[in-house]
Amino acid sequence: MDFSLRRVNALFIKELKDFFQNPNVLVMYMLPIMFAVLYGKMMGTRIPKVYSLEVCLLLSLTTVGCSSAACLIAEEKEKNTLRTLMLSPLSPIEFLTGKSLISLLSCMVSSLIVFFIVNPPNVNLFLYIIISLISSITIIILGLLIGLLCKSQLETGIASTPIIMILMLVPMFCGINSVLKSIANFCFTYHALAAIYKISEGKGFLDLKYNLLNIFVWLIVSLFLLVFVYKKVRLDK
């Protein structure tokens, strides 16, 4: 089946409407922006700007990226419309692209908003966008995977919480001991923050190769798992 931009666009418009009608997703979207105002403006110079940006980016990735993508899939299940979509002429790549575009767009907008609110010195915006983009794609794929495996938004929230906690808290507190540091080295969110810290020190794109490689490995593995689970769920229907 040929890839159809028209079908993807139709699904994207539907997702856009669902996005603004889902209060859970809207609350998640506001969280990183609220923290950016708190850390970037209200705290002043008491918290380093780069650290504030890292925390807000983590929130943007985990709440806007992962949780919103999972919730939108789970909402389809609760409305009994997911089966209809999966049995429609949409190909797997069209379905997954259409479902993830709104989460990717909202995640990138959130990441840019927190960047300009925090206004960190010496952080290259172009490199920041690259890091945010590939990290957002990776975590959205994980969110879609969670959504497909869960039956409701409540179950999605329960299932995604430990994953979000690991991806968010382990990188934040990895300096406490060597065990957390070892675990953090496997988390792509840790490498996203490490890359941002490097560019704040004036490092270039080539200095980020190990961090970007880790993120790309997560992206590829997550994508294969998503396609496998999608096909299995579709056949089960």
Side-chain angles (χ1 to χ4, degrees), residues 156-208:
T156 297
I158 295 171
S160 62
T161 297
I163 297 173
I164 288 174
M165 290 297 101
I166 292 172
L167 292 176
M168 183 168 65
L169 296 181
V170 171
M172 288 176 62
F173 299 106
C174 65
I176 294 177
N177 57 54
S178 58
V179 175
L180 284 177
K181 180 71 172 179
S182 299
I183 297 173
N185 273 315
F186 289 100
C187 298
F188 76 93
T189 45
Y190 167 78
H191 288 277
L193 301 191
I196 289 174
Y197 185 78
K198 286 180 180 178
I199 62 178
S200 73
E201 292 187 321
K203 301 289 180 65
F205 185 79
L206 291 178
D207 298 304
L208 314 178

Side-chain angles (χ1 to χ4, degrees), residues 103-193:
S103 296
L104 179 60
L105 178 62
S106 58
C107 197
M108 289 305 299
V109 169
S110 174
S111 299
L112 286 173
I113 289 174
V114 300
F115 179 89
F116 289 113
I117 291 176
V118 174
N119 193 26
N122 306 321
V123 175
N124 184 290
L125 179 59
F126 177 71
L127 291 178
Y128 173 78
I129 290 174
I130 291 176
I131 295 165
S132 300
L133 180 61
I134 59 174
S135 300
S136 297
I137 294 172
T138 304
I139 205 158
I140 287 168
I141 291 172
L142 289 175
L144 293 174
L145 184 59
I146 294 169
L148 286 174
L149 291 170
C150 297
K151 296 179 180 178
S152 65
Q153 292 190 67
L154 178 60
E155 190 175 321
T156 297
I158 295 171
S160 62
T161 297
I163 297 173
I164 288 174
M165 290 297 101
I166 292 172
L167 292 176
M168 183 168 65
L169 296 181
V170 171
M172 288 176 62
F173 299 106
C174 65
I176 294 177
N177 57 54
S178 58
V179 175
L180 284 177
K181 180 71 172 179
S182 299
I183 297 173
N185 273 315
F186 289 100
C187 298
F188 76 93
T189 45
Y190 167 78
H191 288 277
L193 301 191

